[in-house]
Each structure stands twice: as C-alpha cells, then as structure tokens.
Amino acid sequence: MACTAPKDSSARPRNPPPRLYALDGLRFVAAFLVVAYHYITLRDGWGKDPEAISSSVYHLSEYGWLGVEVFFLISGFVICMSGWGRSLGDFVTSRVSRLYPAYWVAVLLTAAVLTAFPDVRSVGSWQNILTNLTMLQEGVGVPDLDDVYWTLFVELKFYLLFAIVIFRGVTYRRCVLFCGLWTVAGIFSLGSHNELLTSWAVSQYSPYFIAGIAFYLMHRFRPNALLWAIVTVSFLLAQHYVHGRLVTNLGAKADVVDEWPARLVILIAFVMMGAIALGFFDRLRWSWLATAGNLTYPLYLIHMYVGFTIIALLRHHVPAGLLFPAVTAFMLAISWIIHRYVERPIGRKLRHAMKRSMKEMRANSTDHSRPCTPACVESDIRPHAARTERRKVHVP
C-alpha cells in the first residue's frame, strides 16, 4: 500500500479576493498624510511658518511624513503578491509599465511649472531633467527634480533585491529566507562602515518591506509563529528609527515634538495590515476605494512642487483654510487625468511592447555552446529563410 503524506494546511493557500479594496483605502490614506505634511507643515509654498495658519492642524500634519512608511509596508505586501508565480521578465514588465508612464508625465509637468514659475524652486539644468526621467538620478548623484522622488529609488532597490527571489521562483521558504537575510543585513550595516552594504540594506525602511512580505504570506497561507516573529521584529526595528526620521523631517523641531504619535501611527499601520492579511476586510467591496487607490501614485508624484507653486501664486488672494483643500482637490483632478489618459493607455501599450521584447529575447537566446547537430543547423537556418521569404513577399 502506498504511503501518502498528510496534508499540511499551513502550506495550502487560501483563495484571496480578486482585489483588496481595504489596501486601496490604506494607500489613499498614506498619500493624504504625505500631502498634508507637505502642504501644511512645510513653508515652501506659504513663504512663512505655516504654524501661524492653524496651530492645531499644523501639529497634526507634522506626522504626515509617516505616510511614506505606510507606502513601504504596503509595497512589501503588493510586490510579494504580484511576483508570485511570475517569471523575472514578467515582473520587470509589470513594474516598468506601472511606474514609468505617470512618472514621465510628472517629471515633465513639474519641470514645466517650475520653469514658468521659478519662485519656489529652480529646475536646474535640462540635463538634470533628462536624468530624472530615468528614475535613477540618485544613483548618479543628480538631485531629484521633486523631493518625493527619493522614495522611488528606495522602492527600486527593494525590487532589485526581491528580483533575486523571483528569478529563483517565489516560494514560501524563499520569501522567509529573504526576510531573514535582509533583516540581518540591515542590522550589520549600521556598524560596518561599508557604503555598499549600507546603501542596499536601507535599514531605516527595510523593516516595512519585510513586514509587508510576512503579512502577504499570512494572507496567502495562514498566520503562524514564524511569520508573527518576522512582523514583531520588523515592528520593533521600525520603532528604533522613529527619532531619526523625526529629525530628518522636522529638523530642530524634532526635539520639542512628542514621539508617541509617530509610534502610534506605525502601530496602527501594522494593525491595519494585519487585519487585511487575516481577511477581516475581504468583504469590503466599495468601488470608490479602487478609484482612490488608482489616484495615489500620480497624486504622490505631482503634488509637492506643483502644489507649492500654486499655493505661492494664490496665498495672498485666497484664505489658507480654503486654499489647502482647493489645491488638494485640484491635484486629485490632475491625478485622475494622468491615470485615465496616461497610466492606463500608455501603460498598456508599454506592457505589450515589453512582453513582445521579452518573448523575442527568450526566443533568440539559444545556447550556442551545445554541440551542433543537423537538426540544430536546420533550426538555425529556418528562421533566416523565413525572414528572406517575408522580404520577398513585401518587395514591390
């Protein structure tokens, strides 16, 4: 009698819903936090300390930079989900077609606005603009045209690291191994004085990506002690960097503001991601959340210096209490236009073009190191003959 292994329920994936609307909602909240932080806390557009506009709103918006941390937490979840079962070529295709169309428009729009109205910020040289179009400007020492772009370079590092897992094939074990190795790298990078290790470990932000991966594993399979341990360690490491992040975003004011609201926001974000991972929001089907989620990326890309410029032009003519929501609404409208008429059509065309390119690359990547047989010679000749026939047909 054949011996069959018992079924392991921990390795049996649940059937996730086609779209996690709660994740869209959390993404939009994160984007709004960042917008509020930039428009209310920073003085670039107002020309004075924004605290004078509304003290209570100002102190709330001081913690809006935490929206970036929430984005990274969501990104770990989404990238693990989107990379599952895909080849490396498919993963690259999906990321390029998702990130670049809206980004290109954002760079050109920001450059045009800052060229026409340079009071808030100068665009620098046109060479800087061209380099920014690559999304790789930080790697070659070129300043970001818009300060929000720095997060994209952090995201690209995560994609490149996780691409190793995708190349090997995404599995439960490899994801856990990736989380462990990246956590260790982040810890050892702090005292290593090794620039390469420090750059790729991104220890301030890696705990969010790692926790996001663990949450997705919970969602796809089920929670267990190992995954909760990964999330707990990531949460504690994230708490370790709170003061440094406050100093980065608030400067000298970091010594006089309370740290506990920032720690509380991080806790709430982890709890929300845990609730999404465990399926508490699976029945949520509000279609407007999907629309809001679609707007977050273009909103994030265009809102900062385009918004600062609009605020600077109108601050003496429109009350601040009206100007902030009006500019935010305008940015949302522009974001919808970018999503509807740029991201969707151009992203689709770019995706199809890259798929064809990947297919051609695979088809033409034959191993010429093998001993050549008559069949091999025939297969090498046949494509050339076919191309010759096609050329003959089309010659007038």
Side-chain angles (χ1 to χ4, degrees):
M1 183 175 65
C3 180
T4 59
K7 294 181 179 180
D8 182 6
S9 60
S10 66
R12 185 169 59 249
R14 298 190 298 115
N15 292 324
R19 186 179 185 110
L20 296 173
Y21 289 86
L23 208 60
D24 288 312
L26 186 60
R27 185 186 289 116
F28 184 78
V29 170
F32 183 79
L33 287 174
V34 175
V35 171
Y37 165 70
H38 288 152
Y39 285 176
I40 300 175
T41 303
L42 304 185
R43 61 182 299 154
D44 297 65
W46 303 102
K48 60 179 179 179
D49 191 347
E51 187 174 3
I53 298 171
S54 173
S55 179
S56 58
V57 174
Y58 172 83
H59 289 302
L60 286 175
S61 67
E62 283 181 317
Y63 303 96
W65 52 269
L66 285 160
V68 170
E69 273 73 355
V70 180
F71 275 133
F72 291 156
L73 186 61
I74 295 171
S75 183
F77 187 103
V78 171
I79 295 305
C80 187
M81 176 172 61
S82 63
W84 206 284
R86 282 187 171 182
S87 68
L88 181 58
D90 291 337
F91 176 73
V92 172
T93 296
S94 70
R95 289 297 88 199
V96 170
S97 60
R98 173 71 178 94
L99 293 180
Y100 275 96
Y103 177 75
W104 287 329
V105 172
V107 170
L108 296 176
L109 175 62
T110 302
V113 170
L114 294 182
T115 300
F117 307 98
D119 296 337
V120 175
R121 187 175 201 172
S122 171
V123 296
S125 68
W126 280 101
Q127 180 60 50
N128 287 353
I129 297 173
L130 295 176
T131 306
N132 268 256
L133 288 170
T134 68
M135 206 184 288
L136 304 175
Q137 60 273 9
E138 185 175 329
V140 295
V142 173
D144 293 317
L145 181 64
D146 193 305
D147 289 348
V148 299
Y149 298 165
W150 73 267
T151 62
L152 300 179
F153 199 65
V154 175
E155 288 271 355
L156 289 177
K157 290 179 181 179
F158 169 51
Y159 297 164
L160 288 172
L161 291 173
F162 197 72
I164 300 172
V165 181
I166 295 175
F167 177 74
R168 295 287 297 164
V170 183
T171 65
Y172 194 128
R173 179 180 297 177
R174 286 170 182 159
C175 286
V176 170
L177 181 61
F178 175 85
C179 292
L181 290 176
W182 202 13
T183 299
V184 171
I187 294 170
F188 280 98
S189 69
L190 297 178
S192 68
H193 305 293
N194 185 310
E195 292 185 7
L196 182 63
L197 178 60
T198 301
S199 175
W200 285 95
V202 284
S203 55
Q204 278 189 307
Y205 312 110
S206 60
Y208 299 98
F209 294 111
I210 292 167
I213 292 172
F215 278 132
Y216 177 69
L217 293 176
M218 292 183 189
H219 179 74
R220 185 177 180 87
F221 300 97
R222 73 175 188 180
N224 57 40
L226 176 61
L227 297 179
W228 281 121
I230 294 173
V231 168
T232 301
V233 170
S234 298
F235 172 76
L236 296 176
L237 288 174
Q239 294 287 334
H240 172 74
Y241 295 107
V242 166
H243 181 74
R245 290 286 288 146
L246 278 170
V247 173
T248 300
N249 288 278
L250 300 179
K253 294 181 180 179
D255 295 327
V256 297
V257 301
D258 294 324
E259 290 186 3
W260 69 262
R263 300 185 185 278
L264 179 61
V265 170
I266 295 172
L267 175 61
I268 292 172
F270 271 72
V271 170
M272 287 296 299
M273 285 299 298
I276 293 171
L278 298 180
F280 287 104
F281 297 107
D282 282 358
R283 294 186 178 182
L284 192 64
R285 292 290 188 273
W286 297 341
S287 59
W288 64 268
L289 287 175
T291 302
N294 289 331
L295 299 184
T296 54
Y297 182 55
L299 175 64
Y300 181 79
L301 291 175
I302 68 169
H303 79 274
M304 191 172 185
Y305 277 97
V306 174
F308 284 162
T309 301
I310 296 174
I311 291 173
L313 292 173
L314 300 179
R315 67 191 183 203
H316 298 302
H317 309 285
V318 181
L322 178 61
L323 186 55
F324 164 64
V327 173
T328 303
F330 180 71
M331 289 294 105
L332 283 169
I334 298 298
S335 300
W336 181 86
I337 293 173
I338 293 175
H339 171 69
R340 177 63 181 83
Y341 297 103
V342 176
E343 276 193 304
R344 285 169 58 180
I346 297 180
R348 189 183 306 114
K349 292 179 180 179
L350 181 59
R351 183 165 55 253
H352 291 163
M354 289 197 64
K355 283 183 177 179
R356 288 194 299 269
S357 300
M358 293 292 179
K359 187 176 180 180
E360 290 181 13
M361 180 182 68
R362 286 190 289 264
N364 293 298
S365 295
T366 55
D367 186 1
H368 296 288
S369 64
R370 295 177 302 168
C372 196
T373 63
C376 174
V377 173
E378 183 180 357
S379 65
D380 286 342
I381 294 174
R382 195 171 294 162
H384 175 73
R387 288 194 298 270
T388 304
E389 289 300 320
R390 284 196 295 269
R391 285 198 296 268
K392 288 180 179 178
V393 170
H394 290 288
V395 172

